[in-house]
Amino acid sequence: MTFNEANTVEAFVCDLLCGGVSHHTAVGPGLARRTGQVSGLGWHFLAHENLPRQLHEPLVEEHLREALTRLNPTIATQPDRVDDVLYRLRAIVMGVRSDGLVKANEEFAAWISGEKSMPFGENGEHVTIKLVDFDDPEQNQYVVTQQYVFRAGKAEKRADVVLLVNGLPLVVIEAKTPVRSSQSWLDGALQVHEDYERNVPEMFVPNVFSIATEGKELRYGAVRMPVEFWGPWRLEDESVLPAMLEVEKAVTSMLRPEVLLDLLANFTSYATHKGKQRIKIIARYQQYEGANKLVERVVEGQTKKGLIWHFQGSGKSLLMLFATRKLRLHPALRNPTVIVVVDRIDLDSQITGTFFANDAQNLVKAETRKDLQDLLANDVRKVLITTIHKFGEAEGVLNDRDNIIVLVDEAHRSQEGDLGRKMRQALPNAFLFGLTGTPINRADKNTFYAFGAEEDANGYLSRYGFEDSIRDGATKELHFEPRLVDLHVDQDAIEEAYRALTSGLTDEDRDQLGKHAAKMAVLVKAPERVQAVCADIAQHFQEKVAPNGFGAQVVTFDRESCALYKQALDQHLPPEMSDIVMSVNSGEDDYAAYRRDRDAEEKLLDRFRDPSDPLKILIVTSKLLTGFDAPILQTMYLDRPLRDHTLLQAICRTNRPYTQEKTHGLIVDYLGIFDDVAQALEFDEEGIARVVTNISELKDQLAEAIQNCLDYFPDVDRTVAGYEGLMAAQDCLPDNETRDRFAADLSYLMRLWEAISPDPFLSTFETDYRWLVQVYESVKPVSVTGQLLWHRLGAKTVELIHENVHVIKVDDDLETLVVDADLLEAILGTPDPKKKAKEIEIKVVKRLRNHLHDPRFKALAERLEDLRRRHEQGLLLSVEFLKELLDLARDVVETERAVPPIEEEERGKQALTELFEEAKTDDTPIIVDRVVADIDEIVHVVRFDGWQATHAGERAVKMALRKTLFKYKLHQDQDLFDRAYGYIREFY
């Protein structure tokens, strides 16, 4: 016997639905209506030749007439009214070719859902018309048929399996053979989407969804949904089964009449896509399960919280929409208030956009804190969207009703802190549900502790993970490509420095990163590096991204970097291909060109989403890393240190499905963040459970943690203020090993403190805690961004950071030290030669830095490097190191004396002259001598001794140079500017 789709997949599905009733046996119409007995899933088989319909009729009108009479008393008393309803329904079907399938489907769905009325009441009052009974599903007729033929003109199409409720064809199933490798569910989906819906759209006007399966995998989609967005139907936490059993599991779950009706009534939506095209949305299974679990918990009323952890990009906004809709309509909840809480303006816009685009009913935005308080005080029964910050000034209880449901979006951020506690105090009896794609399981910020219920296994009410999302096609895989740029420095040391500098940062630290990690900022923004990175981005984009029609993001260190990268990219790509999106405040003239209101920004983003627009690259630093949805975005060029959920959220901007050509999201990594990515994608469930369990015990641990830190200072009088008290404390931390141990103990104490704060319990320990933190801050080296680094970084990295980015202000008395023999003897006899050696080393480095490009100083710099290496390896004792440093200092001073300042400046003018001669073209016929003279003159006016070591000096000289270049129309050549500035910095 041969296997084919009819005797395998079709037969299998029909038997599942009908409980083994032979689908080859004709069953009379009288048996088609449910009579209370259970057979299979509650469906009854009726052969297509026994359906009372003509081939050109999409509806089984006889069955529909019967249902309308049965379900509507006003029609039962006057049966001819059925014709009035059928006339309206036929008109929708007949108009599908002019109105479009989605619009016709939406209008018909309103009739099926009971949203339409007719003037059939007494005195002509309008009464709701029921086509389907959702309250008592037993009153409906459930029929399965095979080979459902529909004819439209010359076109005739035959659907394999059709499910009809009350004569309405709600589900079309296209089956393919399971024994031919060239056939898959995709062939069935394409047949429905490309052939049936186009050529016989009338058959799909009542359609809820269609299914395609070859017996190995099952996928479903709504009308006109591109096949790449068709999704599977799975059950949560189920193991993978053999192919046919997987399909059986999906069919028996999804096609139960009660589930089908639930999907129709509560989990189908119509939205306006990009402000123009109307689309139909049907919930994915994880949205269906998550929303229903949430609703069930509220209706039961016992547990007042829950955590829904669904991976980034898997549709949490729609889950919230579906849950909100079902909560608002649920009769047991007595007209509840649903509050959707977010914590950022961009997320506020995204969620609001989702709700408005899907025509959510009774939606109100609380724009201000007063709005929120007034709405709650007035007991408004609607859907409120607000930000977490609007609870900041709430005092006491705003509303104590128990049918308020709070859905907290991206529940890993500030909802766990003071604002979260304010919200809980304002709504003491509300249900609180957290939704996140990136939960945090640290003690100081714990999503599971804040929202997870003890009743829930592993701490979450519903989970849809990274692997689930990729397997189902809800998101694409993430690929990572390291592109570290070699800039003639110790790359390993730079990577180590980056990891150390950023590994301890929290979200709250991010905005301060540029200030605290100024050393790293200078290194990242070095002109040579920016040029190299942007040249690489341009080449990579043109070769690997643009040919496929995708877009990209460039994520930079800070706002200044955005501007630098834009200038550099414009040298390699057309300027219209990229733009900057960042926050710009009024008065910030440097970035005025990128200041946009929300409407202007959204128009720019819509241009980016438009594949026909030349804008292909968005340059960002903080904006658009969260809450930005653009499926065309495929590649992210990452040149900014990120961590934890911020890193995960950022890289997941690239994972949205788009076209069949988009097989993955790509992260091009210029900083080496792979370890952080791996950590961000892995969550240890046992660890999560352990933290959740232990968090209630933290108060018991606090006193011991405080004492452990105080034990470092056994004889210090903590009441002594000023530098005397601070020095006494620092004396108790004499070396790196001790400081590192203290830092580790205090870091643990800080995590405890943050987890417990702002509990009044802490007030007893506050004085000691503040003192310890101040001591910690005082012994922290200036290069630190959130943790102690000196022991972990190693000599090479410390040297790298010090030499490249850190500005050290010292009194430069090197010449005095070199020429005064008596003073030298005093120095060599110093009780702390190590300290003195460091002081002189700093002064020598400062002098050498002034002559970076002069070959006469190259050998001296190499000598210094050799001295440092030998000293670090223990080959030079501190006194010997100091002696050799003094010899080197003498040679540096003597070499400087051999290079008079006038010669230095003349060499600078000569270098500038050569530069501008090289840059001169027919398009820019400049007079080189005049350009160089103007630069020389204006730089002499603004420069001052040591200007290279101050931000103000660098800024003044750069501004003067730009003005001069602008005068000669050379200001757009960034390479020219960078090289000219380099010469000025070296020789002036």
Side-chain angles (χ1 to χ4, degrees):
M1 180 178 176
T2 59
F3 299 107
N4 56 45
E5 63 192 52
N7 67 20
T8 54
V9 181
E10 278 188 45
F12 181 57
V13 170
C14 287
D15 280 349
L16 289 173
L17 295 171
C18 303
V21 175
S22 173
H23 41 280
H24 301 291
T25 304
V27 179
L31 294 179
R33 184 175 164 209
R34 297 197 60 184
T35 57
Q37 77 276 20
V38 177
S39 57
L41 300 181
W43 297 87
H44 291 261
F45 184 81
L46 191 60
H48 67 88
E49 60 268 22
N50 291 330
L51 285 171
R53 62 178 283 268
Q54 300 297 312
L55 295 185
H56 66 275
E57 294 174 344
L59 314 178
V60 182
E61 290 195 4
E62 184 177 315
H63 292 178
L64 183 54
R65 283 178 178 275
E66 181 188 331
L68 283 166
T69 305
R70 184 173 68 252
L71 302 178
N72 296 276
T74 57
I75 294 178
T77 59
Q78 199 170 327
D80 60 342
R81 287 175 169 168
V82 168
D83 293 321
D84 294 336
V85 177
L86 289 178
Y87 175 80
R88 301 288 187 93
L89 299 178
R90 289 192 205 104
I92 299 171
V93 174
M94 291 171 63
V96 63
R97 292 179 186 259
S98 58
D99 295 338
L101 180 51
V102 174
K103 183 177 179 182
N105 185 265
E106 181 177 8
E107 191 173 352
F108 207 102
W111 278 93
I112 300 176
S113 302
E115 297 173 17
K116 297 294 184 178
S117 62
M118 296 286 284
F120 294 163
E122 292 184 22
N123 303 316
E125 297 99 344
H126 274 256
V127 294
T128 300
I129 301 301
K130 277 188 180 182
L131 275 62
V132 174
D133 195 328
F134 293 95
D135 299 323
D136 185 2
E138 295 288 328
Q139 293 301 310
N140 301 313
Q141 177 193 57
Y142 303 96
V143 169
V144 177
T145 191
Q146 287 177 276
Q147 304 306 305
Y148 189 88
V149 178
F150 181 77
R151 183 181 298 152
K154 294 181 180 179
E156 183 176 296
K157 301 299 175 183
R158 185 183 301 269
D160 291 336
V161 180
V162 174
L163 278 57
L164 301 105
V165 177
N166 297 341
L168 304 171
L170 299 187
V171 179
V172 171
I173 302 175
E174 193 62 26
K176 294 298 175 185
T177 176
V179 295
R180 193 181 305 164
S181 60
S182 61
Q183 296 258 298
S184 74
W185 69 267
L186 184 59
D187 296 283
L190 286 169
Q191 193 168 353
V192 171
H193 184 265
E194 299 295 340
D195 185 3
Y196 296 175
E197 290 182 3
R198 289 183 185 276
N199 293 309
V200 288
E202 293 86 355
M203 189 171 78
F204 291 87
V205 172
N207 184 271
V208 180
F209 55 83
S210 296
I211 288 176
T213 180
E214 80 289 63
K216 304 171 189 174
E217 193 169 0
L218 177 149
R219 297 268 172 156
Y220 69 100
V223 293
R224 305 315 302 144
M225 179 182 285
V227 292
E228 55 265 28
F229 294 112
W230 284 40
W233 186 272
R234 307 186 195 277
L235 298 180
E236 193 179 73
D237 299 328
E238 293 272 350
S239 57
V240 176
L241 300 171
M244 293 290 277
L245 293 181
E246 279 290 331
V247 173
E248 176 182 353
K249 187 172 67 173
V251 168
T252 55
S253 168
M254 184 184 199
L255 295 182
R256 293 180 182 279
E258 58 271 25
V259 175
L260 174 59
L261 295 185
D262 195 15
L263 285 166
L264 171 58
N266 300 303
F267 292 93
T268 303
S269 187
Y270 297 85
T272 303
H273 184 53
K274 296 182 180 178
K276 301 173 186 175
Q277 182 185 0
R278 200 69 174 157
I279 62 171
K280 181 178 180 179
I281 298 167
I282 186 159
R284 290 182 176 269
Y285 77 93
Q286 75 272 11
Q287 295 163 340
Y288 179 83
E289 280 197 336
N292 273 336
K293 286 183 176 182
L294 188 155
V295 173
E296 288 166 14
R297 176 154 293 180
V298 174
V299 172
E300 288 169 2
Q302 301 301 313
T303 304
K304 305 287 283 192
K305 65 178 183 175
L307 178 64
I308 293 178
W309 170 12
H310 287 197
F311 187 68
Q312 291 295 330
S314 59
K316 289 186 296 299
S317 296
L318 286 169
L319 188 157
M320 297 170 80
L321 174 78
F322 295 133
T324 296
R325 181 183 295 169
K326 195 164 184 178
L327 288 166
R328 288 277 302 135
L329 296 175
H330 204 294
L333 300 181
R334 312 179 317 279
N335 193 19
T337 299
V338 180
I339 305 176
V340 178
V341 177
V342 297
D343 84 332
R344 290 171 65 99
I345 291 174
D346 53 348
L347 286 174
D348 186 13
S349 174
Q350 180 198 0
I351 296 297
T352 306
T354 299
F355 275 65
F356 275 118
N358 285 270
D359 302 325
Q361 300 296 308
N362 296 309
L363 184 65
V364 180
K365 274 186 68 178
E367 299 278 7
T368 66
R369 288 168 173 166
K370 188 175 187 307
D371 286 347
L372 175 65
Q373 295 182 32
D374 289 347
L375 288 166
L376 290 172
N378 295 329
D379 207 22
V380 168
R381 307 296 182 101
K382 294 185 178 182
V383 180
L384 310 183
I385 295 186
T386 189
T387 62
I388 185 69
H389 302 91
K390 293 184 176 67
F391 285 94
E393 293 179 359
E395 294 298 334
V397 176
L398 294 180
N399 197 307
D400 61 1
R401 265 195 295 117
D402 63 0
N403 65 338
I404 295 177
I405 304 101
V406 182
L407 308 181
V408 181
D409 182 61
E410 295 302 349
H412 55 259
R413 293 200 186 105
S414 55
Q415 285 83 348
E416 303 92 338
D418 292 343
L419 292 171
R421 280 180 274 274
K422 284 271 193 180
M423 179 178 70
R424 287 161 171 78
Q425 291 166 7
L427 307 169
N429 297 316
F431 290 86
L432 295 174
F433 293 95
L435 293 93
T436 184
T438 50
I440 290 177
N441 58 325
R442 298 197 308 262
D444 56 338
K445 284 194 172 180
N446 195 287
T447 317
F448 291 85
Y449 177 63
F451 292 97
E454 294 179 4
E455 296 86 345
D456 295 329
N458 298 316
Y460 44 79
L461 177 65
S462 171
R463 182 193 171 180
Y464 184 69
F466 180 52
E467 298 81 5
D468 301 322
S469 177
I470 291 173
R471 175 197 63 193
D472 295 344
T475 61
K476 295 297 182 180
E477 292 182 358
L478 291 171
H479 292 184
F480 300 91
E481 182 178 341
R483 307 275 287 197
L484 299 175
V485 180
D486 181 9
L487 291 175
H488 311 294
V489 291
D490 187 338
Q491 190 63 52
D492 291 336
I494 290 176
E495 290 177 37
E496 183 181 353
Y498 282 148
R499 284 194 290 271
L501 286 168
T502 61
S503 62
L505 290 182
T506 64
D507 264 358
E508 290 77 15
D509 294 329
R510 285 188 312 170
D511 291 339
Q512 299 299 319
L513 181 62
K515 298 175 184 176
H516 293 305
K519 297 172 185 171
M520 185 169 64
V522 173
L523 186 61
V524 170
K525 292 185 283 190
E528 186 180 350
R529 183 181 185 278
V530 171
Q531 290 295 327
V533 168
C534 290
D536 189 70
I537 289 173
Q539 180 180 354
H540 184 278
F541 181 81
Q542 289 174 306
E543 292 177 357
K544 298 187 177 181
V545 185
N548 297 314
F550 301 137
Q553 265 188 346
V554 179
V555 182
T556 71
F557 188 82
D558 56 16
R559 294 188 303 167
E560 182 185 12
S561 301
C562 287
L564 293 174
Y565 281 49
K566 170 65 175 163
Q567 292 170 358
L569 281 174
D570 285 352
Q571 296 173 31
H572 303 281
L573 299 170
E576 63 271 15
M577 188 176 280
S578 65
D579 211 330
I580 296 173
V581 179
M582 64 183 182
S583 299
V584 181
N585 299 318
S586 59
E588 291 183 315
D589 295 335
D590 290 348
Y591 306 125
Y594 305 109
R595 185 186 302 129
R596 299 183 182 92
D597 60 25
R598 190 176 294 186
D599 288 342
E601 184 174 297
E602 196 52 47
K603 286 179 181 176
L604 181 76
L605 299 184
D606 283 340
R607 285 183 52 211
F608 176 73
R609 295 182 180 104
D610 182 354
S612 64
D613 195 284
L615 178 61
K616 300 297 180 188
I617 300 174
L618 297 177
I619 305 168
V620 304
T621 180
S622 292
K623 276 201 166 191
L624 308 187
L625 298 190
T626 59
F628 175 54
D629 192 13
I632 198 172
L633 172 60
Q634 188 254 354
T635 300
M636 175 175 286
Y637 298 101
L638 190 55
D639 200 26
R640 173 185 169 179
L642 300 171
R643 70 184 292 272
D644 282 355
H645 59 267
T646 309
L647 170 61
L648 182 55
Q649 281 205 304
I651 63 179
C652 288
R653 299 305 100 200
T654 67
N655 73 353
R656 307 305 198 260
Y658 182 52
T659 60
Q660 287 179 279
E661 287 74 24
K662 186 176 179 181
T663 58
H664 61 276
L666 177 63
I667 311 302
V668 180
D669 173 21
Y670 290 96
L671 285 183
I673 61 164
F674 289 108
D675 291 342
D676 291 330
V677 171
Q679 291 172 8
L681 294 178
E682 293 178 5
F683 290 88
D684 173 13
E685 292 186 7
E686 290 184 9
I688 289 167
R690 189 163 56 248
V691 173
V692 172
T693 302
N694 292 346
I695 204 158
S696 60
E697 303 168 8
L698 295 183
K699 289 183 182 179
D700 298 334
Q701 300 173 21
L702 185 72
E704 182 181 354
I706 288 268
Q707 192 55 51
N708 285 343
C709 291
L710 292 176
D711 286 346
Y712 286 88
F713 312 98
D715 301 317
V716 174
D717 184 353
R718 297 195 298 278
T719 63
V720 176
Y723 69 90
E724 293 92 347
L726 203 53
M727 288 179 66
Q730 290 178 351
D731 287 343
C732 297
L733 304 171
D735 52 48
N736 288 339
E737 184 179 350
T738 307
R739 287 195 289 270
D740 280 346
R741 282 191 288 106
F742 171 66
D745 287 341
L746 189 72
S747 296
Y748 173 67
L749 172 60
M750 287 177 173
R751 289 197 299 273
L752 285 179
W753 192 274
E754 291 299 319
I756 299 169
S757 177
D759 196 299
F761 165 82
L762 297 175
S763 58
T764 307
F765 306 95
E766 186 163 359
T767 302
D768 288 340
Y769 179 73
R770 301 291 177 211
W771 186 86
L772 288 166
V773 169
Q774 287 174 339
V775 173
Y776 172 81
E777 289 295 325
S778 77
V779 296
K780 216 167 56 167
V782 292
S783 60
V784 167
T785 59
Q787 61 181 341
L788 297 176
L789 300 180
W790 54 79
H791 189 61
R792 208 150 50 88
L793 280 182
K796 271 305 204 183
T797 302
V798 172
E799 176 186 323
L800 167 80
I801 297 173
H802 275 263
E803 290 191 1
N804 281 283
V805 270
H806 188 47
V807 176
I808 304 172
K809 284 195 172 183
V810 293
D811 294 326
D812 189 0
D813 55 353
L814 197 61
E815 292 182 46
T816 307
L817 291 177
V818 167
V819 299
D820 192 329
D822 294 334
L823 186 58
L824 290 182
E825 290 183 13
I827 291 173
L828 292 174
T830 181
D832 191 351
K834 186 176 180 181
K835 180 179 178 183
K836 200 65 189 178
K838 187 62 183 174
E839 178 186 336
I840 294 175
E841 180 186 353
I842 289 171
K843 294 172 181 178
V844 170
V845 167
K846 180 174 180 288
R847 286 296 185 95
L848 288 173
R849 192 179 289 138
N850 291 334
H851 309 284
L852 284 176
H853 300 283
D854 191 328
R856 285 172 285 193
F857 289 87
K858 183 178 179 182
L860 296 171
E862 290 173 352
R863 269 178 63 190
L864 176 61
E865 290 304 312
D866 182 62
L867 278 179
R868 284 174 163 170
R869 180 182 54 78
R870 289 160 58 205
H871 182 50
E872 287 162 4
Q873 293 174 350
L875 301 177
L876 279 180
L877 298 177
S878 294
V879 173
E880 294 168 335
F881 180 49
L882 177 55
K883 285 181 180 179
E884 298 222 21
L885 271 177
L886 287 167
D887 288 340
L888 175 61
R890 183 182 298 109
D891 291 343
V892 168
V893 171
E894 289 176 358
T895 305
E896 282 183 328
R897 287 174 177 163
V899 184
I902 187 66
E903 181 185 334
E904 283 278 270
E905 292 186 11
E906 285 302 318
R907 289 182 64 237
K909 291 178 71 173
Q910 180 183 349
L912 287 171
T913 300
E914 292 172 1
L915 172 64
F916 285 104
E917 286 286 0
E918 179 186 331
K920 185 170 70 171
T921 66
D922 293 339
D923 296 329
T924 56
I926 57 174
I927 301 173
V928 173
D929 290 346
R930 188 177 298 171
V931 176
V932 173
D934 281 359
I935 291 175
D936 182 72
E937 181 180 353
I938 195 168
V939 168
H940 271 103
V941 170
V942 299
R943 69 172 292 284
F944 51 85
D945 288 341
W947 66 268
Q948 297 97 330
T950 69
H951 290 300
E954 289 187 327
R955 188 166 56 248
V957 171
K958 283 182 177 180
M959 192 175 299
L961 176 61
R962 283 200 189 280
K963 286 180 179 179
T964 306
L965 294 181
F966 182 80
K967 177 179 176 182
Y968 293 98
K969 309 302 182 192
L970 299 172
H971 57 289
Q972 291 184 329
D973 189 336
Q974 184 63 34
D975 181 60
L976 184 66
F977 173 86
D978 291 337
R979 292 174 64 188
Y981 176 72
Y983 290 138
I984 294 168
R985 200 178 194 286
E986 177 178 354
F987 296 114
Y988 286 80

